[in-house]
Amino acid sequence: MSAAWFPALSPDGELAWLGDPLWTAMAALVAVAAWWAAVGTQRRSGAGRARLAEAVLLAMGLGSVVVMLARPSWVEASGRRVPGRTVVLVDASSSL
């Protein structure tokens, strides 16, 4: 894999969940309810490998949506300071 797609993570960083916890919790509850409803209807129609595979793929898809809403991000502390800059603009045109 290319380093541009998967940059190295430093051991000084940490995983931060930047999404709204309320939305993430609600999405998780909806995902669990949808999965439970799908598995419940599959039990009544007969069990098999295809049904199990469908339930697992549905759980993975719903879990991916919940993780996307949680917005995980790798945060590293930067050790350098960038000095601020002051800009003064003077308008000498006659339009004012």
Side-chain angles (χ1 to χ4, degrees):
M1 298 261 165
S2 172
W5 289 100
F6 297 107
L9 300 176
S10 75
D12 299 331
E14 64 181 22
L15 182 63
W17 301 93
L18 303 178
D20 184 17
L22 179 62
W23 283 104
T24 304
M26 289 187 340
L29 288 174
V30 168
V32 167
W35 184 79
W36 187 265
V39 170
T41 57
Q42 288 177 358
R43 283 189 196 155
R44 285 185 236 133
S45 65
R49 280 191 174 168
R51 304 272 185 213
L52 177 64
E54 184 179 352
V56 168
L57 290 173
L58 178 63
M60 289 172 56
L62 292 172
S64 297
V65 170
V66 172
V67 169
M68 284 188 297
L69 285 174
R71 293 182 47 209
S73 191
W74 188 257
V75 180
E76 295 179 6
S78 175
R80 70 181 176 130
R81 292 184 168 243
V82 178
R85 294 185 179 151
T86 304
V87 177
V88 177
L89 298 176
V90 178
D91 185 9
S93 66
S94 60
S95 65
L96 294 176

